[in-house]
Amino acid sequence: MVSNDNIQEYEVAIAGGSSAGLSAALTLGRTLRKTVVIDGGSPRNRFAAHAHNFFTRDNTPPSELLRIAREQLQPYETVDLVEGYITTASKTDGGFLLETRAGDRYFAKKIVLATGLKDDLDDIPGLEELWGNRVIHCPYCHGWEVRRLPVCVIANGEAAEHYAVTLSNWHSDITFLTQGESRISAEMTEKFVEKGYKLNTTPIKGLEKSGEGVKITLQNGDVLETGAVYYRPQKLLYHNSLAEQLGCEMSPDGVVTVSPMFETTVPGVFAAGDLTHAGLHQLYMSAMGGHLAGTNANRQLTQEAW
């Protein structure tokens, strides 16, 4: 353990205060662990108007879910919520040393990384402004709200083929925008014709709101009006710099490797939420991972003390 008046000491430090981080904090608060949650206030789902498929909280704004979660942490006097960004993390005697952008330093025996990821959006004018609202990526999250409406899908190749099958339960009028020459298989292209799906290879010039839907202008001047747009970024930017500094194993794409107990390959460092999944980016999965990370951080502390 470090000895310095300028360093605040905790049993567990949680980097990130969204679904995974606050779930871990709740678990650790209930196990009487002195815990700090350090968060910069920019959750990935902040662009979405409502969250869905979250038991007892369907159709609740993401910001409201976080407000409730923070409010329900108040009875647990061992949990502190701090606004800030952790920039450095290192192993030290008996635990880990963290420093924020503002220069605040923290020591913790265990760490839970719940730093999430960022969607790397294509450079299409209007896409960022509509992202998470009229441009959506997950039908399980938002498909019911635009059910049976005509929709456009920005995707090509295997991604388009996957969307075609998945969306067939929600939509029958689908236009696929491949942004250039189609890489969809001949077999699936025939299936598109059978289903009445449309295929357009002309690149997009821009997107904008149109009534309750979206207006899509193509580079050849054609205009499409649609109820919503499905789009999944080709690349996800995982916030894994702390995991990298600590020496945690990661996939080539940047996903942090965890055990079934959500411990990384570095003993004492746990991770949960979007940071630990290549595709299971759901509130429930994040909350579940945070709970298990908190449970097992407590288990280790208890065994070590015993």
Side-chain angles (χ1 to χ4, degrees):
M1 183 177 294
V2 295
S3 178
N4 190 317
D5 291 340
N6 295 322
I7 297 176
Q8 301 178 60
E9 296 186 5
Y10 288 87
E11 291 178 287
V12 184
I14 301 172
S18 192
S19 304
L22 294 180
S23 177
L26 179 61
T27 299
L28 289 160
R30 292 184 61 80
T31 58
L32 311 179
R33 294 299 176 187
K34 189 178 181 185
T35 303
V36 62
V37 180
I38 305 170
D39 179 68
S42 298
R44 182 192 183 195
N45 63 2
R46 65 190 182 279
F47 303 105
H50 301 92
H52 299 288
N53 275 334
F54 200 44
F55 183 60
T56 78
R57 289 291 184 268
D58 190 44
N59 206 39
T60 303
S63 60
E64 177 66 4
L65 289 175
L66 297 183
R67 186 198 65 77
I68 294 170
R70 289 191 291 265
E71 181 181 81
Q72 292 186 348
L73 283 172
Q74 290 180 8
Y76 305 102
E77 65 275 2
T78 59
V79 178
D80 292 333
L81 302 179
V82 174
E83 183 177 345
Y85 290 92
I86 301 173
T87 54
T88 61
S90 59
K91 184 81 174 70
T92 188
D93 249 357
F96 304 89
L97 188 62
L98 308 173
E99 185 167 342
T100 69
R101 187 182 294 168
D104 298 319
R105 297 199 294 168
Y106 299 85
F107 169 83
K109 296 178 181 178
K110 308 293 178 185
I111 296 177
V112 177
L113 301 176
T115 46
L117 59 83
K118 178 183 178 181
D119 297 288
D120 189 18
L121 304 180
D122 287 351
D123 188 19
I124 300 173
L127 179 63
E128 185 174 356
E129 289 76 10
L130 300 182
W131 176 240
N133 185 354
R134 303 186 191 200
V135 177
I136 57 182
H137 79 283
C138 173
Y140 291 97
C141 299
H142 304 290
W144 192 88
E145 283 66 36
V146 295
R147 64 197 183 283
R148 303 187 184 93
L149 292 178
V151 295
C152 287
V153 179
I154 304 173
N156 205 345
E158 291 183 2
E161 295 176 18
H162 176 77
Y163 259 131
V165 176
T166 303
L167 296 180
S168 63
N169 192 48
W170 282 274
H171 309 281
S172 58
D173 186 345
I174 306 177
T175 299
F176 286 84
L177 304 174
T178 59
Q179 294 284 75
E181 183 179 353
S182 173
R183 300 190 304 276
I184 299 169
S185 68
E187 179 183 4
M188 187 61 84
T189 300
E190 289 181 10
K191 194 70 175 177
F192 278 23
V193 174
E194 177 187 322
K195 291 283 187 181
Y197 296 168
K198 295 178 280 293
L199 191 61
N200 196 318
T201 61
T202 305
I204 298 169
K205 182 179 180 180
L207 308 174
E208 58 186 292
K209 292 181 182 179
S210 178
E212 295 299 315
V214 181
K215 174 183 174 182
I216 304 172
T217 303
L218 304 181
Q219 289 185 6
N220 64 2
D222 289 350
V223 174
L224 305 176
E225 295 278 353
T226 189
V229 174
Y230 283 93
Y231 162 81
R232 186 183 299 276
Q234 297 181 47
K235 186 178 181 182
L236 299 173
L237 304 177
Y238 292 88
H239 295 154
N240 55 22
S241 63
L242 299 179
E244 186 175 18
Q245 291 176 40
L246 292 165
C248 301
E249 180 181 294
M250 291 180 279
S251 76
D253 291 332
V255 180
V256 175
T257 302
V258 291
S259 72
M261 298 302 179
F262 285 82
E263 187 172 19
T264 71
T265 52
V266 175
V269 179
F270 297 82
D274 291 352
L275 185 66
T276 63
H277 295 289
L280 295 174
H281 301 148
Q282 303 283 335
L283 287 175
Y284 256 122
M285 297 300 297
S286 293
M288 177 272 292
H291 169 66
L292 289 177
T295 296
N296 288 290
N298 172 69
R299 178 182 56 82
Q300 285 189 7
L301 288 166
T302 301
Q303 289 176 338
E304 289 163 6
W306 185 263

